[in-house]
Amino acid sequence: MDVKRTNDKILNDILKKMRETGHAEANLALIKRTYEFATEAHKDQKRKSGEPYIVHPLAVAERLTNMKLDKETIAAGLLHDTVEDTERTIDDIRKNFGDEIAFLVEGVTKLDQIRYKGTERNAENLRKMFLAVAEDIRVVLIKLADRQHNMETLEHVAPEKKRRIALETLEIYAPLAYRLGIGETKGQLEDLAFPYIYPQEHSWLKDHTKDTFEDRKNYIERLIPVVKNEFSKEGLYPIDIHARAKHYYSLYKKLLAHGMDIDKIHDLIAVRVVVKNIEDCYKTLGAIHKLWKPIPGRIKDYIAIPKPNGYRSLHTTIFGPEGKMTEFQIRTLEMHQEAENGITAHWAYSEAKTESPKNTPSFSGIARNKNLAWVQQLREWHKEFQNPEEFLESLKIDFFKNRIFVFTPKGEVLDLPEGATPVDFAYQVHSTIGDTAAGAKVNSKMVSLDYRLSSGDVVEILTQKNKRPNQDWLEFVKTSGARKKITTSIRKGREHFAFAKKTGSSVELRLNIKDRIGLLKDVSQVISDQKINMKSVTSETKNRLYPLIVIQISVKTKPSLEKLIFRLKKVNGVEEINYKLA
Ligand code: MN
C-alpha cells in the first residue's frame, strides 16, 4: 500500500509539472490513463532492487517531464518497457494510445535490442540505432532517460552485466547526449559509468581531489561576495552566481592530459554567472577583466561563435585574489537552460508558444532541423556505406572520437575528427572540392594538404579544374568519407586512363613545387633518365605563392608513367604531382 501511495505521488508530481509547463488538462488525463495501463501491465514484475517495476517507467517519465517534452514523449516514457517486458503488444499500444505514441514505444523497443560489448562489431544494430536518431530524436531522449535511471540503479544488477552496461553508457549514450547538446546529462552519465569502468582510477581521484575540492570550494565561497560587491559598483546585478564543480570523469580525462598533476587543473570549480541579457554578459566580462588580469588564450566567446552542439557562454580564466586562477562562465538564463537541456530547450519553448486550443504541439521537422548537421550526416553515411563493418568504422572514427571544429572562409563551422587535414575538410565541404584540391590556406597561410588542423582554424581550399585526388592522401586522411571518395575518384581516373591508353598517351604533368635553384634541371634529368620524351615545360605563377610547373610528355604505358611520378616525387622541392591526359 505504501509503495502504491509513493508511486501515485510521483505521478502527481509529473502532472503538476506538466500543468506548470502549460499542458492542457486533456494531456494530463492521457498521462493518467497511460500510468494505469503501465501499472497494470507490469503488475507482476519487480526491479532488481525489489521495488515494483513501475518505479522505473515513472522515473523515466518524470525526467522527460522535467525536460518539458510533449505529452507523447512522456506517455511513451511510461510505456517504454511494456512491449519488451510484458504481454502487451505494439498493437495494444496503438489501439489505446494512437499511432504517434506507438511509434515512439516501438522505436525504444528497437533500441533495446542493441548490445554494445566494446569488442564486438554489432554494426547492424548500431546502424538501426542511428537511423532511429535520424528518424525521431524523441526516441533517443526516452532511451537516454531510461539509461540514466538504469545507471543510477546499476548496483542491483549482476556483476558481469554491470561493466557491459557501463561501457555502453560511456561509449554510446554519453557521446549521444553531448551531440544533442545535453551537457548535464552527458556529465551525469559519464560519472555514473566511471566507477564501473575504471574503479581504481575513480577511487584514486576521489581521494586525491578531496582536499583540493574543499580548498577551492572555500575559496569560491569567499570570492562570490567580493564579486557581487564589485559588480554592483558597475551597476551589474546578476540573476545568479554559483560555483560549479567539474564532473569527475571529465576531470579524470583532463588529468590524463596533464600527467595526473592536479595542481595544473585550474577549473576544478568554475564560477558561473547568470545574467539578464547578452549585453550584460559582455559588461560582466569587462568588469571581471577590470578587476583581475585575464589569462591570454583562455577567453572564449561562445556567444559570437557557439560550439557546434549549440553551447553558448563567455568563458574567461583570470588571476584572482590570493593569486588563484579562476574560471568564470557568463551566460543568460536562456543559454543556461540550453546548456542544461540541449536542443530540447528549444522544443520546450516552441511548445509553450504553440500550445493551441487544439493542443497539438508540432514536432514535425525535428529530424530535418538544418542546425543538426550531424543528423544529416548520419543519413548520408547510411547511404554511402552499404557494408555494415565499414559503416561502424566510419561511426567510430567520425562520431565518437574527439572532435575539432574549424571554419570555412564564410564562417560556417565544420565538425571534424581530431587529426583531420585540409583534405578531410575539402571533402566534407563537397566531393568536387576534395577531388580538385590543390593546396590549402589555414589562417591565411599556405599549408601542406596533410597539415593537422586545430579547433578554431579558418580553412580555405585552393582548387584546380580537372585535378584528381592523389593516392598519397589515403596515407593521412582521417575521415572515412574522404577515404571513400578518394578511392572512388582514383578508380574512375584509372578507368579513364585505361581507355585513353588505346588511342595514345600524351600526358600533362602538373607539379606543385617549392621553387629552388636547380629544381627544374633535376626534374628534367629524372624525366630523361626514364627515357621519356618531354614536349614542353611551362609554369603558372598567377595567384600562386609557389609556381606550378606544367610539363607535357608522351609515355607508352601506365606503369612507366607511374614510375616517373614516383621518381619525380623524390625530387627535393616537388610537393605534389597530378597528371591528366592531354
Ligand atoms: Mn527501461
Side-chain angles (χ1 to χ4, degrees):
M1 268 329 263
D2 263 348
V3 173
K4 173 84 168 83
R5 202 172 304 137
T6 314
N7 292 336
D8 287 350
K9 191 186 169 301
I10 297 172
L11 175 73
N12 281 331
D13 285 348
I14 291 174
L15 298 176
K16 193 172 151 238
K17 277 175 203 157
M18 285 180 73
R19 200 174 279 125
E20 283 163 12
T21 311
H23 279 278
E25 287 302 318
N27 294 5
L28 273 57
L30 168 75
I31 297 304
K32 257 188 256 174
R33 198 156 65 79
T34 318
Y35 169 69
E36 276 150 25
F37 183 95
T39 307
E40 179 61 23
H42 289 293
K43 72 171 189 290
D44 297 326
Q45 292 173 315
K46 289 212 182 319
R47 292 283 285 174
K48 291 264 167 22
S49 62
E51 292 170 289
Y53 197 88
I54 192 71
V55 297
H56 169 63
L58 266 176
V60 172
E62 189 170 32
R63 206 177 290 277
L64 297 167
T65 311
N66 289 340
M67 292 174 103
K68 301 193 169 67
L69 292 170
D70 61 351
K71 63 177 189 299
E72 288 82 6
T73 311
I74 299 168
L78 280 167
L79 297 168
H80 82 272
D81 277 331
T82 53
V83 174
E84 176 85 358
D85 296 341
T86 76
E87 302 292 305
R88 305 296 184 277
T89 66
I90 200 71
D91 285 330
D92 293 336
I93 307 284
R94 193 173 290 114
K95 240 179 279 156
N96 280 281
F97 303 103
D99 284 344
E100 194 172 351
I101 293 173
F103 163 76
L104 295 174
V105 173
E106 197 170 21
V108 178
T109 308
K110 274 189 216 155
L111 293 189
D112 282 339
Q113 315 302 320
I114 290 165
R115 288 289 180 270
Y116 175 82
K117 292 191 178 87
T119 49
E120 275 185 22
R121 298 192 160 185
N122 215 336
E124 280 296 352
N125 283 335
L126 271 176
R127 186 206 301 235
K128 268 187 216 151
M129 171 177 172
F130 290 108
L131 285 178
V133 173
E135 214 176 325
D136 199 315
I137 291 164
R138 289 176 295 171
V139 172
V140 179
L141 294 173
I142 297 167
K143 196 67 196 136
L144 283 173
D146 173 50
R147 178 49 60 106
Q148 200 160 352
H149 186 248
N150 284 338
M151 286 305 295
E152 282 162 5
T153 53
L154 194 63
E155 56 185 307
H156 304 290
V157 169
E160 68 276 11
K161 277 178 84 182
K162 280 181 184 160
R163 206 189 125 81
R164 181 189 65 74
I165 294 170
L167 191 65
E168 192 175 70
T169 303
L170 206 57
E171 298 285 323
I172 311 273
Y173 290 94
L176 264 176
Y178 176 75
R179 282 313 181 92
L180 295 172
I182 320 171
E184 208 37 51
T185 302
K186 178 231 176 205
Q188 284 167 9
L189 285 172
E190 285 181 346
D191 280 3
L192 287 164
F194 186 26
Y196 294 100
I197 305 291
Y198 304 103
Q200 284 163 336
E201 289 82 351
H202 180 258
S203 55
W204 180 90
L205 192 63
K206 272 192 115 158
D207 291 346
H208 285 76
T209 50
K210 203 169 168 277
D211 292 345
T212 324
F213 260 125
E214 281 304 307
D215 286 353
R216 298 286 305 180
K217 229 180 114 213
N218 292 337
Y219 160 73
I220 301 274
E221 270 159 22
R222 290 197 299 280
L223 181 65
I224 286 176
V226 179
V227 172
K228 271 191 183 156
N229 186 36
E230 292 297 334
F231 282 174
S232 67
K233 286 183 199 161
E234 305 284 329
L236 290 166
Y237 300 95
I239 296 169
D240 187 27
I241 303 181
H242 61 269
R244 167 76 171 73
K246 212 174 181 61
H247 282 289
Y248 265 110
Y249 186 67
S250 70
L251 175 62
Y252 168 66
K253 280 200 292 191
K254 206 160 185 179
L255 274 167
L256 279 181
H258 289 90
M260 298 311 272
D261 186 350
I262 198 92
D263 295 330
K264 289 204 178 119
I265 313 289
H266 306 296
D267 53 355
L268 270 181
I269 298 177
V271 181
R272 204 171 264 166
V273 187
V274 181
V275 299
K276 272 204 303 288
N277 49 39
I278 291 176
E279 200 188 337
D280 276 6
C281 287
Y282 290 100
K283 272 191 196 160
T284 306
L285 182 75
I288 292 165
H289 287 172
K290 210 165 115 187
L291 280 165
W292 297 295
K293 210 173 175 53
I295 295 165
R298 292 295 307 262
I299 307 165
K300 306 270 165 63
D301 187 344
Y302 297 123
I303 293 177
I305 303 159
K307 287 190 184 178
N309 70 0
Y311 177 83
R312 291 186 297 161
S313 269
L314 298 175
H315 288 193
T316 185
T317 305
I318 48 103
F319 286 105
E322 306 167 32
K324 283 198 168 132
M325 286 196 202
T326 309
E327 187 183 65
F328 279 83
Q329 302 173 350
I330 308 154
R331 50 175 75 158
T332 65
L333 195 58
E334 189 191 349
M335 292 171 197
H336 183 60
Q337 280 157 355
E338 278 174 19
E340 302 281 310
N341 297 324
I343 46 172
T344 63
H346 295 288
W347 302 348
Y349 294 148
S350 58
E351 176 169 25
K353 272 180 214 152
T354 59
E355 192 74 22
S356 61
K358 277 189 195 154
N359 185 36
T360 47
S362 170
F363 277 79
S364 62
I366 287 170
R368 287 180 295 279
N369 187 341
K370 288 283 187 290
N371 294 326
L372 290 173
W374 65 277
V375 173
Q376 292 293 326
Q377 214 173 45
L378 286 170
R379 290 194 154 163
E380 291 300 311
W381 286 345
H382 175 61
K383 270 188 261 164
E384 271 178 47
F385 301 101
Q386 291 307 321
N387 173 353
E389 295 285 307
E390 202 175 3
F391 178 74
L392 179 68
E393 208 44 54
S394 73
L395 286 180
K396 275 187 108 110
I397 293 164
D398 297 337
F399 196 74
F400 292 118
K401 282 267 171 72
N402 293 333
R403 312 295 302 182
I404 57 161
F405 306 107
V406 297
F407 294 101
T408 69
K410 283 180 187 162
E412 285 156 2
V413 180
L414 288 196
D415 180 349
L416 289 164
E418 224 169 29
T421 63
V423 174
D424 295 295
F425 173 92
Y427 275 105
Q428 185 152 334
V429 174
H430 196 279
S431 51
T432 312
I433 297 188
D435 280 344
T436 58
K441 278 184 177 177
V442 169
N443 306 326
S444 309
K445 280 197 194 111
M446 284 295 296
V447 297
S448 62
L449 285 173
D450 63 354
Y451 181 86
R452 231 182 117 97
L453 298 172
S454 315
S455 276
D457 281 344
V458 179
V459 188
E460 192 183 341
I461 300 297
L462 312 173
T463 59
Q464 223 172 62
K465 219 181 155 188
N466 298 327
K467 199 184 159 297
R468 295 226 148 257
N470 193 318
Q471 182 93 35
D472 295 353
W473 293 357
L474 293 170
E475 300 293 320
F476 59 73
V477 290
K478 283 287 178 291
T479 53
S480 41
R483 186 174 305 279
K484 177 123 185 147
K485 284 169 186 164
I486 291 166
T487 315
T488 309
S489 190
I490 288 175
R491 201 188 55 231
K492 278 187 191 152
R494 285 209 184 112
E495 284 159 6
H496 178 59
F497 182 73
F499 172 77
K501 208 174 70 173
K502 289 176 192 160
T503 54
S505 32
S506 188
V507 173
E508 182 182 291
L509 291 175
R510 300 169 75 87
L511 283 65
N512 285 304
I513 58 156
K514 272 191 185 144
D515 211 1
R516 62 172 173 87
I517 292 163
L519 176 88
L520 209 53
K521 190 167 152 276
D522 292 348
V523 166
S524 7
Q525 188 64 51
V526 169
I527 296 173
S528 65
D529 283 353
Q530 299 297 306
K531 307 207 170 17
I532 284 169
N533 182 25
M534 196 159 67
K535 293 193 285 193
S536 74
V537 180
T538 51
S539 81
E540 286 175 18
T541 49
K542 200 179 158 198
N543 295 327
R544 293 178 159 277
L545 185 57
Y546 300 115
L548 173 80
I549 307 288
V550 182
I551 305 171
Q552 305 288 345
I553 54 166
S554 72
V555 284
K556 293 208 171 67
T557 62
K558 195 175 118 192
S560 66
L561 175 63
E562 282 174 347
K563 195 169 163 193
L564 173 67
I565 289 172
F566 181 77
R567 295 270 155 91
L568 284 174
K569 274 187 187 163
K570 305 216 153 159
V571 174
N572 182 23
V574 175
E575 295 293 297
E576 215 197 324
I577 303 176
N578 300 289
Y579 67 85
K580 63 173 191 185
L581 299 164

